[in-house]
Amino acid sequence: IDIDVKQNTFSMLVSLELHWFDQRLAWKPFIGGCHRVTYRASIDSELTEIWVPNFNLQNKLEGFQMLPEAHASVYYDGSVRWRKTGILTGTCELTGVISFPFDTTSCYFDFGDDRNPLFHRVNYDYVAPQFFSSLQDNKWNFQEYRMLTSRTFVEEVTESLSGFENRFIRYHFFFDRAEFFYVHMFVIIYILFTYLSFGTFWIDAESGERLGFGTSILFLMVAQDISSADVTPVTQEFLWIGKLSLASKLLVLFTIIHSIVAMWILTKDFDGEDGSQEEREHFIETSEEKEPSRARSFKKLVFDRYCQAGNVFARIEIKEGDSKRLKREKKVRMADVTSFMLCFVAYTILVISLLTTRN
């Protein structure tokens, strides 16, 4: 079994048996005489010794006629059995891949006549498929997909095309994916490195390593996306793995933006200013006095509220005697704790939600 989600193709080892009656081949066997003979059978009129139906896989890449040649068995009553075994490859609209890598994929084979349906002379009937014991043992057998034999079903489909109807038999097959490989190669990596990116909030805001730490994790996730693109289908739907990837990258990006803002808060109004600490603090006071009092009050209120939310856990005390520089550093540390708790809780809820709705 092989399914290519990028190309929407499906290959499977099958043994197809056609059974029909041809009264021209019937005979009356004598007592103890021959009851069955074999003839060469082929779609090619120069190779066949008997009439055979023009039967083929309708959605084929490699159809029934591409299977190795096989003889047909003809019985005395005119019944003919023709079995061919090999690998069929067809193209179909894969369903269920939206939950990748926890998806149950479905595909189908359409069997019928290649000839113009206006001149059909054969009416096809079908029987329920039988499966090899290796497919019924419910084991993976070192394959990416496992067929769900109990969910296979057959139906007759009629489609109108160019003024006439085409009737064919459709076999639906369902498959489970070996999800463990994708879980530890992609899902766990996304989750672990996203949680690891939250460690950015515990690195000194003025340290250059803080910004480099966050961007390194973001680059790693982009590399994961490039790797997963080789095994995920291109579709208009938003895949499960895509939701996890997007949410993880957004939170890592948030840690980077938070670090940039924290560095800007700690260094604003100091760049390019010479002199002592007292002179730089005086420069800050005169600069802040130039801002409109209402806008300054609103920004200060929002920033203070955000910092206080994290201070429930950080318990950082801002003293009256602290310099403005030190007060800013303490508020940035409180904001780091707030952002850490916000990201940790939000991402945990998101991961739990995705895992509980993956199917």
Side-chain angles (χ1 to χ4, degrees):
I1 299 172
D2 182 38
I3 299 176
D4 189 340
V5 296
K6 301 289 289 184
Q7 302 295 331
N8 278 358
T9 60
F10 164 48
S11 299
M12 186 170 63
L13 175 64
V14 299
S15 182
L16 289 174
E17 183 176 290
L18 300 182
H19 182 206
W20 70 91
F21 285 90
D22 190 341
Q23 293 299 327
R24 298 170 300 177
L25 301 177
W27 73 91
K28 292 182 180 180
F30 297 101
I31 297 175
C34 178
H35 289 71
R36 179 178 66 89
V37 295
T38 58
Y39 288 96
R40 286 183 299 174
S42 175
I43 297 297
D44 190 340
S45 59
E46 296 183 359
L47 299 177
T48 188
E49 295 178 331
I50 61 174
W51 176 90
V52 297
N54 192 26
F55 183 82
N56 207 349
L57 179 65
Q58 298 297 293
N59 56 330
K60 64 179 180 295
L61 291 178
E62 295 181 4
F64 179 75
Q65 298 180 13
M66 299 294 294
L67 298 181
E69 295 294 340
H71 285 72
S73 296
V74 180
Y75 296 84
Y76 71 94
D77 60 352
S79 64
V80 184
R81 293 183 181 272
W82 187 29
R83 175 179 293 183
K84 299 182 72 174
T85 301
I87 296 177
L88 294 180
T89 302
T91 178
C92 66
E93 183 180 354
L94 296 174
T95 61
V97 294
I98 191 172
S99 300
F100 177 90
F102 305 102
D103 52 322
T104 296
T105 307
S106 173
C107 194
Y108 53 83
F109 278 161
D110 291 339
F111 294 101
D113 203 324
D114 275 345
R115 294 173 182 159
N116 190 326
L118 286 176
F119 304 100
H120 274 177
R121 295 294 182 266
V122 179
N123 292 320
Y124 293 101
D125 200 358
Y126 61 88
V127 295
Q130 299 179 359
F131 299 96
F132 297 110
S133 58
S134 59
L135 294 177
Q136 299 181 30
D137 61 7
N138 209 29
K139 296 180 180 179
W140 287 99
N141 299 323
F142 299 99
Q143 294 186 12
E144 182 177 359
Y145 293 94
R146 178 184 61 182
M147 179 179 289
L148 304 176
T149 57
S150 60
R151 296 187 59 179
T152 301
F153 68 93
V154 192
E155 63 176 345
E156 292 186 9
V157 179
T158 302
E159 291 185 351
S160 297
L161 181 65
S162 302
F164 54 79
E165 292 185 345
N166 187 19
R167 174 180 170 271
F168 50 87
I169 300 170
R170 175 170 291 176
Y171 284 79
H172 289 268
F173 302 99
F174 294 84
F175 308 91
D176 267 346
R177 186 190 299 272
E179 61 189 47
F180 179 76
F181 170 81
Y182 297 96
V183 168
H184 79 267
M185 287 294 293
F186 298 104
V187 177
I188 292 180
I189 295 297
Y190 280 126
I191 295 176
L192 287 183
F193 275 90
T194 301
Y195 279 119
L196 187 62
S197 70
F198 300 158
T200 303
F201 300 118
W202 303 104
I203 301 177
D204 186 2
E206 293 185 286
S207 173
E209 287 78 6
R210 171 166 176 161
L211 197 58
F213 180 74
T215 53
S216 297
I217 293 180
L218 183 61
F219 291 153
L220 183 142
M221 289 189 173
V222 172
Q224 281 290 101
D225 288 343
I226 296 174
S227 300
S228 63
D230 293 334
V231 294
T232 53
V234 178
T235 174
Q236 189 68 18
E237 301 293 336
F238 201 10
L239 302 183
W240 186 93
I241 192 70
K243 296 177 182 178
L244 177 65
S245 172
L246 178 61
S248 300
K249 291 197 294 289
L250 287 177
L251 282 174
V252 174
L253 188 61
F254 175 80
T255 64
I256 296 174
I257 295 175
H258 179 94
S259 299
I260 295 174
V261 173
M263 295 173 67
W264 175 77
I265 290 175
L266 291 176
T267 59
K268 74 167 188 175
D269 299 330
F270 292 148
D271 295 339
E273 291 297 317
D274 298 325
S276 63
Q277 177 70 18
E278 291 76 9
E279 291 176 341
R280 282 188 280 181
E281 289 182 2
H282 175 71
F283 178 80
I284 294 173
E285 293 176 358
T286 55
S287 299
E288 291 179 347
E289 289 175 357
K290 296 179 182 179
E291 297 183 18
S293 58
R294 182 176 299 179
R296 186 174 71 251
S297 299
F298 178 76
K299 289 191 296 184
K300 186 176 184 300
L301 176 64
V302 172
F303 183 67
D304 289 345
R305 290 290 177 84
Y306 188 81
C307 296
Q308 290 171 5
N311 202 35
V312 175
F313 302 95
R315 300 187 180 278
I316 298 174
E317 183 180 357
I318 298 179
K319 301 178 180 179
E320 290 293 334
D322 293 338
S323 64
K324 288 192 174 183
R325 172 72 175 186
L326 183 57
K327 289 180 180 179
R328 285 190 183 184
E329 291 178 353
K330 290 183 177 181
K331 286 186 177 182
V332 166
R333 288 200 296 271
M334 288 189 289
D336 286 341
V337 177
T338 302
S339 296
F340 172 82
M341 296 303 301
L342 178 65
C343 291
F344 186 88
V345 172
Y347 191 67
T348 300
I349 294 175
L350 177 66
V351 169
I352 293 175
S353 175
L354 287 175
L355 291 176
T356 53
T357 59
R358 65 184 184 275
N359 294 323

